[in-house]
Amino acid sequence: MKNMMKHPSITLMLVLMLSLVLSGCNSTGTNTPSASGGGDAEAQGTVERIKERGKLIAGVKYDTKLFGLKDPASGDVEGFDIDIAKALAKQILGDETKVELKEVTSKTRIPMLQNGDIDIIIATMTITDERKEQVDFSDVYFEAGQSLLVKNDSAIAGLESLDGVKVLAVKGSTSAQNIREKAPKADVLEFDNYQDAFTALKAGKGEALTTDNIILIGMQQTDNNYKLVGGNFTSEPYGMAIRKGDTAFVEEVNKMLKALKDSGEYDTLHEKWLGSKPE
Ligand code: GLU
């Protein structure tokens, strides 16, 4: 250090080298979203990339009856979210079959969007301020609320009954986060997906499963030994998530949603999957 100070030319050289290195980093990174770190896909231009590729790649659930469920026999993935993905493919590419579905879980969906594995998340995803720091959201396309699923003969009636109770939830969901706030004395066990969480409930590994009412209703439809209790204790507005900064794609998605609503197609889909028209 002492030596360096005696030789200002060396210091100058080091400063120059450092600034070259830094500007080099910058020039390779100008097109990537800076807020979300390295290894990210380019945020803007998703609509163009979908057109060039000739298909939309949508991240959807494979484990959620009514919204995105894979039928193991046929391999088909079906649900409300899937039909919305098809409508988006139809709007952008003129053909609703031009969509590739990729499985996401609550935990993997944001990283998969950010690294470019998928163009969009359409997967029972609640719009939250925390998530808005990482992704952009479409307009709300469904309003859910968090609730509890218990055995029909359970004494659990709601949040007030959860002290010391094992409650099952899914990693990366708002449900796991909310239940810790709303029932701090509950013992929360987290699973990778909803199928595993429901299997654990049936196996007696916990006394309640918590997530959005509409997901619980889907589970209950497969096994009527279970009931929803405690009402809706949060508000979970669903939005489609897009890489942060791709406003053109957000506009495109919102245009599709508006067209679905204006044409009455949204109501038809709502009725098809959820049994009734929206209120
Ligand atoms: N809507 C909640 C969420 O976004 C729960 C459903 C889910 O895990 O996808 O976290």
Side-chain angles (χ1 to χ4, degrees), residues 126-142:
T126 302
I127 302 169
T128 69
D129 287 342
E130 204 180 315
R131 289 173 176 166
K132 274 189 198 162
E133 286 171 15
Q134 297 179 283
V135 297
D136 284 344
F137 281 103
S138 70
D139 292 339
V140 176
Y141 71 93
F142 187 77

mmCIF file of all heavy atoms in Angstrom, residues 126-142:
data_model
loop_
_atom_site.group_PDB
_atom_site.id
_atom_site.type_symbol
_atom_site.label_atom_id
_atom_site.label_comp_id
_atom_site.label_asym_id
_atom_site.label_seq_id
_atom_site.Cartn_x
_atom_site.Cartn_y
_atom_site.Cartn_z
ATOM 1 N N THR A 126 -51.388 -16.090 -5.558
ATOM 2 C CA THR A 126 -51.911 -14.858 -4.961
ATOM 3 C C THR A 126 -50.985 -13.678 -5.261
ATOM 4 O O THR A 126 -49.761 -13.807 -5.180
ATOM 5 C CB THR A 126 -52.003 -15.024 -3.423
ATOM 6 O OG1 THR A 126 -52.846 -16.144 -3.149
ATOM 7 C CG2 THR A 126 -52.551 -13.781 -2.760
ATOM 8 N N ILE A 127 -51.607 -12.555 -5.591
ATOM 9 C CA ILE A 127 -50.856 -11.313 -5.778
ATOM 10 C C ILE A 127 -50.529 -10.748 -4.390
ATOM 11 O O ILE A 127 -51.441 -10.487 -3.605
ATOM 12 C CB ILE A 127 -51.717 -10.284 -6.549
ATOM 13 C CG1 ILE A 127 -52.151 -10.862 -7.904
ATOM 14 C CG2 ILE A 127 -50.993 -8.953 -6.695
ATOM 15 C CD1 ILE A 127 -53.220 -10.036 -8.627
ATOM 16 N N THR A 128 -49.246 -10.620 -4.076
ATOM 17 C CA THR A 128 -48.868 -10.016 -2.791
ATOM 18 C C THR A 128 -47.789 -8.957 -3.039
ATOM 19 O O THR A 128 -47.069 -9.027 -4.042
ATOM 20 C CB THR A 128 -48.284 -11.049 -1.793
ATOM 21 O OG1 THR A 128 -47.003 -11.489 -2.281
ATOM 22 C CG2 THR A 128 -49.187 -12.240 -1.588
ATOM 23 N N ASP A 129 -47.666 -8.030 -2.102
ATOM 24 C CA ASP A 129 -46.641 -6.980 -2.233
ATOM 25 C C ASP A 129 -45.239 -7.594 -2.239
ATOM 26 O O ASP A 129 -44.360 -7.152 -2.979
ATOM 27 C CB ASP A 129 -46.762 -5.968 -1.093
ATOM 28 C CG ASP A 129 -47.978 -5.068 -1.286
ATOM 29 O OD1 ASP A 129 -48.498 -4.998 -2.428
ATOM 30 O OD2 ASP A 129 -48.428 -4.458 -0.299
ATOM 31 N N GLU A 130 -45.060 -8.618 -1.405
ATOM 32 C CA GLU A 130 -43.752 -9.263 -1.321
ATOM 33 C C GLU A 130 -43.382 -9.876 -2.685
ATOM 34 O O GLU A 130 -42.261 -9.708 -3.164
ATOM 35 C CB GLU A 130 -43.860 -10.369 -0.274
ATOM 36 C CG GLU A 130 -42.563 -10.771 0.360
ATOM 37 C CD GLU A 130 -42.797 -11.878 1.389
ATOM 38 O OE1 GLU A 130 -43.752 -11.780 2.192
ATOM 39 O OE2 GLU A 130 -42.034 -12.853 1.347
ATOM 40 N N ARG A 131 -44.322 -10.559 -3.313
ATOM 41 C CA ARG A 131 -44.048 -11.180 -4.618
ATOM 42 C C ARG A 131 -43.884 -10.136 -5.716
ATOM 43 O O ARG A 131 -43.156 -10.365 -6.682
ATOM 44 C CB ARG A 131 -45.171 -12.170 -4.966
ATOM 45 C CG ARG A 131 -45.123 -13.421 -4.099
ATOM 46 C CD ARG A 131 -46.314 -14.321 -4.324
ATOM 47 N NE ARG A 131 -46.201 -15.553 -3.546
ATOM 48 C CZ ARG A 131 -47.200 -16.391 -3.343
ATOM 49 N NH1 ARG A 131 -48.394 -16.126 -3.841
ATOM 50 N NH2 ARG A 131 -47.018 -17.487 -2.629
ATOM 51 N N LYS A 132 -44.559 -8.998 -5.541
ATOM 52 C CA LYS A 132 -44.444 -7.936 -6.558
ATOM 53 C C LYS A 132 -43.027 -7.373 -6.643
ATOM 54 O O LYS A 132 -42.665 -6.710 -7.598
ATOM 55 C CB LYS A 132 -45.405 -6.790 -6.221
ATOM 56 C CG LYS A 132 -46.795 -6.994 -6.764
ATOM 57 C CD LYS A 132 -47.583 -5.716 -6.561
ATOM 58 C CE LYS A 132 -49.062 -5.965 -6.659
ATOM 59 N NZ LYS A 132 -49.824 -4.867 -6.060
ATOM 60 N N GLU A 133 -42.204 -7.640 -5.625
ATOM 61 C CA GLU A 133 -40.807 -7.201 -5.702
ATOM 62 C C GLU A 133 -40.031 -8.086 -6.673
ATOM 63 O O GLU A 133 -38.989 -7.711 -7.177
ATOM 64 C CB GLU A 133 -40.160 -7.263 -4.315
ATOM 65 C CG GLU A 133 -40.652 -6.143 -3.421
ATOM 66 C CD GLU A 133 -40.205 -6.286 -1.980
ATOM 67 O OE1 GLU A 133 -39.287 -7.078 -1.701
ATOM 68 O OE2 GLU A 133 -40.802 -5.597 -1.133
ATOM 69 N N GLN A 134 -40.558 -9.274 -6.944
ATOM 70 C CA GLN A 134 -39.839 -10.219 -7.817
ATOM 71 C C GLN A 134 -40.463 -10.393 -9.195
ATOM 72 O O GLN A 134 -39.767 -10.718 -10.150
ATOM 73 C CB GLN A 134 -39.791 -11.593 -7.140
ATOM 74 C CG GLN A 134 -39.020 -11.601 -5.839
ATOM 75 C CD GLN A 134 -39.041 -12.988 -5.230
ATOM 76 O OE1 GLN A 134 -40.030 -13.420 -4.650
ATOM 77 N NE2 GLN A 134 -37.963 -13.714 -5.396
ATOM 78 N N VAL A 135 -41.784 -10.241 -9.271
ATOM 79 C CA VAL A 135 -42.493 -10.476 -10.547
ATOM 80 C C VAL A 135 -43.552 -9.391 -10.752
ATOM 81 O O VAL A 135 -43.912 -8.690 -9.807
ATOM 82 C CB VAL A 135 -43.202 -11.861 -10.564
ATOM 83 C CG1 VAL A 135 -42.197 -12.991 -10.452
ATOM 84 C CG2 VAL A 135 -44.252 -11.967 -9.461
ATOM 85 N N ASP A 136 -44.035 -9.296 -11.985
ATOM 86 C CA ASP A 136 -45.190 -8.439 -12.259
ATOM 87 C C ASP A 136 -46.428 -9.329 -12.339
ATOM 88 O O ASP A 136 -46.326 -10.500 -12.713
ATOM 89 C CB ASP A 136 -45.015 -7.696 -13.584
ATOM 90 C CG ASP A 136 -44.034 -6.541 -13.455
ATOM 91 O OD1 ASP A 136 -43.735 -6.134 -12.307
ATOM 92 O OD2 ASP A 136 -43.560 -6.050 -14.496
ATOM 93 N N PHE A 137 -47.576 -8.751 -12.012
ATOM 94 C CA PHE A 137 -48.809 -9.534 -12.049
ATOM 95 C C PHE A 137 -49.809 -8.956 -13.045
ATOM 96 O O PHE A 137 -49.862 -7.742 -13.261
ATOM 97 C CB PHE A 137 -49.470 -9.548 -10.661
ATOM 98 C CG PHE A 137 -48.855 -10.513 -9.690
ATOM 99 C CD1 PHE A 137 -48.009 -10.063 -8.685
ATOM 100 C CD2 PHE A 137 -49.119 -11.878 -9.778
ATOM 101 C CE1 PHE A 137 -47.439 -10.954 -7.781
ATOM 102 C CE2 PHE A 137 -48.556 -12.769 -8.880
ATOM 103 C CZ PHE A 137 -47.715 -12.309 -7.878
ATOM 104 N N SER A 138 -50.640 -9.866 -13.585
ATOM 105 C CA SER A 138 -51.788 -9.448 -14.391
ATOM 106 C C SER A 138 -52.855 -8.901 -13.445
ATOM 107 O O SER A 138 -52.692 -8.935 -12.227
ATOM 108 C CB SER A 138 -52.365 -10.669 -15.121
ATOM 109 O OG SER A 138 -52.985 -11.542 -14.170
ATOM 110 N N ASP A 139 -53.967 -8.468 -14.023
ATOM 111 C CA ASP A 139 -55.134 -8.138 -13.210
ATOM 112 C C ASP A 139 -55.596 -9.404 -12.488
ATOM 113 O O ASP A 139 -55.267 -10.521 -12.898
ATOM 114 C CB ASP A 139 -56.281 -7.642 -14.114
ATOM 115 C CG ASP A 139 -55.948 -6.287 -14.735
ATOM 116 O OD1 ASP A 139 -55.077 -5.565 -14.205
ATOM 117 O OD2 ASP A 139 -56.565 -5.968 -15.779
ATOM 118 N N VAL A 140 -56.394 -9.215 -11.453
ATOM 119 C CA VAL A 140 -56.936 -10.353 -10.697
ATOM 120 C C VAL A 140 -57.859 -11.168 -11.604
ATOM 121 O O VAL A 140 -58.680 -10.613 -12.319
ATOM 122 C CB VAL A 140 -57.751 -9.837 -9.484
ATOM 123 C CG1 VAL A 140 -58.411 -11.003 -8.745
ATOM 124 C CG2 VAL A 140 -56.885 -9.024 -8.544
ATOM 125 N N TYR A 141 -57.707 -12.496 -11.600
ATOM 126 C CA TYR A 141 -58.630 -13.316 -12.398
ATOM 127 C C TYR A 141 -59.455 -14.268 -11.556
ATOM 128 O O TYR A 141 -60.360 -14.931 -12.070
ATOM 129 C CB TYR A 141 -57.905 -14.062 -13.527
ATOM 130 C CG TYR A 141 -56.999 -15.196 -13.077
ATOM 131 C CD1 TYR A 141 -57.464 -16.502 -13.000
ATOM 132 C CD2 TYR A 141 -55.676 -14.953 -12.718
ATOM 133 C CE1 TYR A 141 -56.640 -17.541 -12.580
ATOM 134 C CE2 TYR A 141 -54.849 -15.979 -12.304
ATOM 135 C CZ TYR A 141 -55.332 -17.270 -12.231
ATOM 136 O OH TYR A 141 -54.520 -18.299 -11.813
ATOM 137 N N PHE A 142 -59.153 -14.322 -10.243
ATOM 138 C CA PHE A 142 -59.987 -15.147 -9.354
ATOM 139 C C PHE A 142 -59.761 -14.694 -7.919
ATOM 140 O O PHE A 142 -58.648 -14.325 -7.556
ATOM 141 C CB PHE A 142 -59.623 -16.638 -9.506
ATOM 142 C CG PHE A 142 -60.547 -17.538 -8.745
ATOM 143 C CD1 PHE A 142 -61.814 -17.810 -9.236
ATOM 144 C CD2 PHE A 142 -60.186 -18.062 -7.503
ATOM 145 C CE1 PHE A 142 -62.704 -18.605 -8.517
ATOM 146 C CE2 PHE A 142 -61.059 -18.861 -6.784
ATOM 147 C CZ PHE A 142 -62.318 -19.126 -7.296
#
